[in-house]
Amino acid sequence: MVEKEQARPLAPAGYRPSSDDNEAALQIKRARQKKFINCCGCITAIVLIQAVVIIILAFTVFRVKEPKINMNKVTVTKLELVNGTTPKPGTNISLTADVSVKNPNVASFKYSNTTTTLYYHGTVVGEARGPPGRSKARRTTRMNITVDIITDMLITNPNLKADVDSGLLTMSSYSRIPGRVNMLNIVKKHVIVKMNCTMTVNISSQAIQEQKCKRKVNL
């Protein structure tokens, strides 16, 4: 009896995806691309919105405005005269200036040492320095600056006799206040406020009779 030959399994043929499978894979790929495009679009829109907001703030709220410095009053606190007309040699004349710094910005204005120089007909006769400080946002800070005038510098000036005869002493001053405005660490701006003043001192009453000031700001 001849044994039946055992049936051998046929080798599986190579798998070929159907058209439906190809269509599904293509749809998945398109969906991923669409999500990627949408994501990029959202990121771009957010960046553009932030840029527009920053530009608007830069030209409105965050726009650095000029701090304003004003000399409100100048008082003669020390003046010794000879015969009631001429400053006494070897002594100093003291002037105290009431100065205000107005900060119109939404951030504080931090300033360093202030300097004030006093001139008499173009010659430096006195100088003073003020301490550093901070002017709060949209606030006004006031300070007193005392200037000591060297009397000997006045006496040797050839214009003094004519001024004494008129009873009026005309002087000029130059003040400089450097500082910086910092807005949320986004906008940082160095500012220098300069002011030139001309004042007329009444010798007999020892008071400031007239005063004119001009301000200049460098941003």
Side-chain angles (χ1 to χ4, degrees):
M1 182 176 180
V2 180
E3 296 180 357
K4 295 181 178 181
E5 186 176 355
Q6 295 180 352
R8 295 181 181 180
L10 298 175
Y15 175 76
R16 296 180 180 179
S18 63
S19 60
D20 294 338
D21 293 336
N22 290 334
E23 184 69 21
L26 184 60
Q27 289 180 357
I28 293 174
K29 184 177 180 180
R30 288 176 179 176
R32 289 178 179 176
Q33 290 177 347
K34 186 176 181 180
K35 288 182 179 180
F36 178 76
I37 294 173
N38 290 338
C39 183
C40 291
C42 291
I43 294 175
T44 303
I46 292 173
V47 172
L48 289 176
I49 291 173
Q50 290 180 344
V52 171
V53 170
I54 291 175
I55 292 173
I56 292 174
L57 291 176
F59 283 96
T60 56
V61 180
F62 286 165
R63 185 173 64 87
V64 177
K65 301 176 183 178
E66 298 180 357
K68 298 178 181 179
I69 176 174
N70 292 310
M71 188 172 292
N72 306 309
K73 185 180 180 181
V74 179
T75 306
V76 180
T77 56
K78 180 182 177 183
L79 176 58
E80 298 182 28
L81 302 175
V82 177
N83 298 325
T85 57
T86 307
K88 183 179 179 180
T91 63
N92 289 340
I93 302 173
S94 296
L95 301 177
T96 300
D98 177 17
V99 180
S100 62
V101 179
K102 183 179 180 180
N103 179 21
N105 296 287
V106 296
S108 61
F109 171 59
K110 185 178 180 181
Y111 54 89
S112 54
N113 292 327
T114 62
T115 58
T116 300
T117 307
L118 203 63
Y119 299 87
Y120 177 67
H121 289 282
T123 303
V124 177
V125 294
E127 189 174 42
R129 292 182 178 272
R134 181 188 298 270
S135 180
K136 295 182 180 180
R138 295 177 178 173
R139 294 290 187 274
T140 300
T141 303
R142 301 184 71 166
M143 68 181 80
N144 288 328
I145 300 178
T146 300
V147 183
D148 290 327
I149 304 173
I150 304 173
T151 306
D152 292 343
M153 297 292 292
L154 288 176
I155 296 176
T156 56
N157 195 296
N159 299 286
L160 181 63
K161 186 178 184 303
D163 288 345
V164 170
D165 293 339
S166 67
L168 300 175
L169 203 64
T170 301
M171 310 184 78
S172 60
S173 66
Y174 170 76
S175 298
R176 183 178 184 271
I177 301 179
R180 187 180 69 171
V181 176
N182 187 350
M183 298 183 180
L184 303 176
N185 290 325
I186 298 176
V187 179
K188 298 180 181 179
K189 197 75 173 180
H190 288 277
V191 181
I192 299 178
V193 184
K194 302 175 182 178
M195 187 170 65
N196 289 289
C197 293
T198 302
M199 65 194 77
T200 302
V201 181
N202 190 305
I203 298 176
S204 59
S205 64
Q206 300 186 12
I208 304 298
Q209 183 168 310
E210 186 180 1
Q211 175 187 315
K212 295 180 181 179
C213 294
K214 292 182 179 180
R215 184 182 67 250
K216 182 180 180 181
V217 180
N218 294 336
L219 296 175

